[in-house]
């Protein structure tokens, strides 16, 4: 069929790439313009699902760490494990520093399972199901970052997981920054959050246009 000819595929790929680049640029301009309060707060809140406060987390079958940060998610997972909220921790990333962070936080090796196949957020729900004992019926606590909360929950639920709690330790940091903006320079607030918001919205665009 002509639709699947090499030229048609190249044309579709060029169009998808153009839409992705254009969308990313538009999102970047918007975020740069709105990274300071209060519109920046509104853009940030759109990415959040109201993660479960630690005191309200329910017991689960596993705690899942999504790769991609400097280790805050591992600390959140260790905190939940030490509280007895789940008997195992799944590291869904091929990142040794996460294992080091868990070990330093007192999580024993026998309680850790590693899923080395995930490379993107969209991969995690599929690849963790290749581990023994993990199915869409499993109750999960997913440690993420505040700007990945909505996307992570969306992808896990789309993959069929029915009981997913999202926990983010850095939500406390941002809440403090909002309560005490005078402690942070305007440049720090604007440019750091602009970069974080730009990445978050670009990831959504990539998912809908390319993935």
């Amino acid at each position: 069929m002509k639709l699947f000819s090499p030229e048609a595929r190249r044309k579709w790929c060029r169009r998808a790439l153009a839409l992705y680049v254009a969308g990313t640029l538009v999102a970047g301009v918007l975020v740069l313009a709105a990274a300071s309060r209060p519109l920046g707060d509104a853009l940030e809140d759109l990415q959040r699902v109201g993660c479960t406060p630690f005191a309200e987390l329910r017991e689960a079958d596993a705690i899942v760490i999504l790769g991609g940060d400097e280790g805050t998610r591992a600390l959140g997972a260790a905190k939940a494990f030490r509280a007895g909220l789940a008997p195992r921790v799944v590291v869904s990333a091929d990142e040794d520093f996460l294992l080091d962070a868990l070990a330093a936080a007192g999580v024993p090796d026998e309680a850790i399972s590693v899923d080395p196949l995930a490379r993107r957020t969209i991969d995690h729900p599929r690849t963790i199901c290749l581990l023994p004992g993990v199915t869409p019926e499993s109750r999960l606590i997913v440690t993420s970052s505040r700007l990945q909360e909505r996307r992570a929950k969306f992808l896990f639920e789309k993959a069929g997981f029915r009981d997913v709690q999202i926990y983010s330790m850095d939500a406390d940091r941002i809440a403090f920054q909002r309560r005490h903006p005078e402690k942070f320079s305007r440049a720090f607030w604007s440019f750091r959050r602009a970069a974080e918001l730009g990445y978050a919205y670009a990831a959504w665009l990539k998912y809908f246009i390319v993935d």
Side-chain angles (χ1 to χ4, degrees):
M1 294 178 60
K2 186 176 181 180
L3 178 64
F4 297 101
S5 67
E7 179 58 31
R9 287 196 295 269
R10 284 194 295 270
K11 183 177 180 180
W12 185 91
C13 288
R14 287 194 298 269
R15 182 177 300 173
L17 180 60
L19 287 171
Y20 177 54
V21 171
T24 301
L25 289 174
V26 170
V29 171
L30 176 63
V31 168
L32 284 171
S36 58
R37 305 161 68 194
L39 189 52
D41 288 350
L43 284 173
E44 183 175 292
D45 290 341
L46 285 174
Q47 291 284 1
R48 308 196 60 199
V49 295
C51 69
T52 307
F54 185 80
E56 298 177 15
L57 287 172
R58 305 182 307 276
E59 290 188 0
D61 299 308
I63 303 162
V64 179
I65 305 173
L66 304 187
D69 79 337
E70 69 281 2
T72 303
R73 299 171 189 176
L75 295 179
K79 181 179 179 181
F81 177 84
R82 292 196 304 267
L85 292 172
R88 67 188 296 198
V89 176
V90 175
V91 179
S92 187
D94 188 13
E95 297 176 343
D96 289 340
F97 76 90
L98 292 176
L99 298 177
D100 293 339
L102 288 174
V107 180
D109 290 345
E110 59 270 21
I112 301 173
S113 300
V114 178
D115 159 30
L117 300 179
R119 294 291 182 269
R120 305 165 299 167
T121 305
I122 193 175
D123 295 333
H124 298 295
R126 174 180 55 83
T127 56
I128 66 170
C129 283
L130 300 177
L131 296 173
V134 180
T135 71
E137 285 71 39
S138 299
R139 300 169 300 162
L140 302 180
I141 296 172
V142 176
T143 61
S144 183
S145 55
R146 73 192 190 288
L147 293 180
Q148 195 184 28
E149 290 172 15
R150 183 176 296 277
R151 190 158 53 97
K153 190 172 182 64
F154 169 81
L155 292 172
F156 273 88
E157 290 181 345
K158 185 177 181 182
F161 286 88
R162 301 170 185 171
D163 189 347
V164 179
Q165 302 173 81
I166 305 295
Y167 174 58
S168 171
M169 283 190 68
D170 64 356
D172 294 335
R173 172 176 62 85
I174 295 303
F176 180 81
Q177 289 178 357
R178 288 191 182 185
R179 291 194 304 269
H180 304 283
E182 72 282 357
K183 295 182 181 295
F184 301 88
S185 69
R186 185 178 182 85
F188 171 88
W189 185 268
S190 298
F191 291 110
R192 173 169 178 164
R193 190 160 63 159
E196 293 174 342
L197 284 168
Y199 178 84
Y201 279 92
W204 274 109
L205 286 168
K206 180 178 181 294
Y207 170 75
F208 286 113
I209 296 174
V210 178
D211 295 335

